[in-house]
Amino acid sequence: MDSITACPAWHRPAALVVALLLSACGGDTDRPRQLELNGAAMGTTWSVQVLDLPAGDDRAALRDDVEAAIVRAEQMLSTYIPGSDLMRFNRSGRTDWVDVSDELCSIVDTALTLSEMTGGAFDITVGPLVNLWGFGPDGNVTEPPAEDLIERVGAHTGYRKLEADCGRPALRKASADVYVDLSAFAKGYTVDKVAHILDAREVANYLVEIGGELRGRGLNASGREWAIAIEEPRLEGRSVQTIVGLSDRGMATSGDYRNFFEFDGRLYSHTIDPRTHWPISHAGASVTVVSESAGFADAMATALLVLGPEDGIEFADRHEIAAYFLVRTDAGLAERRSAQFEREVSIL
Ligand code: ADP
Ligand code: MG
């Protein structure tokens, strides 16, 4: 079979906010109860829904602050912006300590802790392989790279080749070719940042979303938990698998079905197993994680997708993580929920 590239340039979220059918208007004033802000950043779209913006605050000021936070995060963390703080570190061929901002240092430090925790399933040094497999800023490929090239490039990866010393704050690479990719964490992290802005403005009810990674607080206009649709993992078209309630929590979904190429009847997705240097190849099609922090949920959804449905659920149960897998089986799509997911997440 010929290879087909089915990799969308614009990444579409795997989880969607279910549209509110209620008109959310205020009682005795003309000020609407609900407002929505949206835009495009990080190769995807973002939206913020706010209910009952405190008196004295206004939409334009809120929008400016939210947008500035997203732009700042992107300028710091993106591998698609050549001048980002991260790309400046990536390009430096130095193997001594390189000064970075407190924030970038602490993000890398957190990511390294998550690598330790997941036995390397989550690994931000996987960047050279992401690029080699055609899922990075250099563009797509239509067939797997040569095996010796995978081996050569893979030799420069591994989270132990990267260190963070946030007392300085600085980062250090073990070799000049180490290259950091924060794409599996950046959106969730930025969702948390935007949530903190809303918390500081004392907004009691909101939903923040960047490319399908979310964080909700309080309730929606109908007085219920925010309703979030988890997509059925289909290569073409879109449909809803299930709807969950989200309140005072972050949520992220990673899937193998939105950003991939197909060659010789096999799917190669943008999630790389750092242990094999190849894209994941098991039956797990998507993972949704619900957690206090959207950043943690984002990274953990990627890690669990790498671990696959069996090891992933076992890991989630051991660490009390709320995780929901969609798995392709001969009998169709199957759901697997961790114990924490059963306890903590309501299905609407
Ligand atoms: P999405 O960006 O679609 O929400 P993820 O959060 O799962 O999906 O992030 C996937 C991106 O993370 C890939 O495009 C790649 O840049 C990077 N990546 C791939 N595999 C890993 C991994 N094992 N650990 C950390 N980052 C990864
Ligand atoms: Mg992720």
Side-chain angles (χ1 to χ4, degrees):
M1 198 186 95
D2 283 334
S3 60
I4 318 165
T5 304
C7 182
W10 198 251
H11 294 179
R12 294 190 309 182
L16 302 168
V17 178
V18 177
L20 286 169
L21 299 174
L22 288 161
S23 79
C25 293
D28 44 1
T29 70
D30 285 341
R31 197 170 151 103
R33 267 202 80 194
Q34 182 158 356
L35 66 86
E36 178 167 346
L37 309 172
N38 40 53
M42 300 186 153
T44 185
T45 54
W46 60 265
S47 68
V48 174
Q49 300 193 46
V50 167
L51 221 60
D52 304 322
L53 189 66
D57 205 345
D58 75 84
R59 180 194 175 94
L62 179 63
R63 192 195 162 83
D64 285 352
D65 278 8
V66 166
E67 202 154 39
I70 295 172
V71 168
R72 239 190 105 249
E74 190 173 17
Q75 293 289 339
M76 176 168 51
L77 306 174
S78 178
T79 47
Y80 289 78
I81 299 176
S84 71
D85 299 358
L86 181 64
M87 284 308 283
R88 262 186 291 153
F89 173 69
N90 279 339
R91 265 199 313 272
S92 90
R94 289 166 53 186
T95 53
D96 58 337
W97 288 103
V98 176
D99 293 340
V100 293
S101 66
D102 271 323
E103 196 174 350
L104 181 57
C105 194
S106 92
I107 290 168
V108 168
D109 198 41
T110 303
L112 291 174
T113 306
L114 291 170
S115 291
E116 282 288 347
M117 179 186 178
T118 59
F122 177 78
D123 187 339
I124 58 172
T125 68
V126 87
L129 290 166
V130 172
N131 297 344
L132 180 68
W133 282 95
F135 299 110
D138 304 338
N140 304 336
V141 300
T142 51
E143 59 182 275
E147 300 232 3
D148 63 328
L149 195 54
I150 299 171
E151 208 168 299
R152 240 183 307 138
V153 169
H156 301 301
T157 67
Y159 69 94
R160 292 204 172 87
K161 295 186 169 68
L162 178 67
E163 285 173 279
D165 177 352
C166 297
R168 299 172 86 116
L171 305 177
R172 183 163 70 176
K173 306 171 180 180
S175 82
D177 297 309
V178 170
Y179 171 106
V180 177
D181 177 346
L182 290 167
S183 303
F185 184 58
K187 283 180 290 181
Y189 174 83
T190 309
V191 165
D192 287 331
K193 292 293 270 191
V194 173
H196 294 151
I197 289 174
L198 295 164
D199 289 341
R201 299 170 97 105
E202 297 182 348
V203 178
N205 302 293
Y206 62 74
L207 186 68
V208 178
E209 179 260 338
I210 303 178
E213 324 299 27
L214 301 128
R215 183 151 148 172
R217 182 163 175 204
L219 303 170
N220 66 17
S222 49
R224 302 203 181 92
E225 287 182 300
W226 296 96
I228 314 297
I230 297 173
E231 243 183 35
E232 193 184 311
R234 285 166 40 163
L235 305 186
E236 280 153 20
R238 320 193 68 165
S239 59
V240 170
Q241 173 71 25
T242 190
I243 298 178
V244 300
L246 193 73
S247 186
D248 304 321
R249 285 276 179 284
M251 176 177 142
T253 300
S254 284
D256 68 1
Y257 60 98
R258 277 282 164 248
N259 191 3
F260 65 90
F261 68 89
E262 199 178 327
F263 181 79
D264 248 354
R266 203 200 126 168
L267 221 70
Y268 296 88
S269 112
H270 72 151
T271 302
I272 307 286
D273 186 336
R275 303 162 302 183
T276 63
H277 305 160
W278 281 63
I280 52 164
S281 62
H282 51 67
S286 80
V287 186
T288 297
V289 172
V290 175
S291 156
E292 226 150 279
S293 133
F296 179 86
D298 194 357
M300 202 44 68
T302 302
L304 294 181
L305 191 62
V306 169
L307 291 174
E310 279 87 37
D311 292 354
I313 289 289
E314 195 268 323
F315 181 92
D317 282 339
R318 196 152 29 94
H319 293 274
E320 297 190 342
I321 293 166
Y324 171 87
F325 269 89
L326 287 170
V327 185
R328 294 190 191 95
T329 72
D330 292 340
L333 210 57
E335 301 183 355
R336 306 253 191 283
R337 301 187 181 94
S338 71
Q340 189 68 19
F341 191 92
E342 299 274 11
R343 274 195 293 273
E344 181 180 322
V345 182
S346 48
I347 305 293
L348 303 181

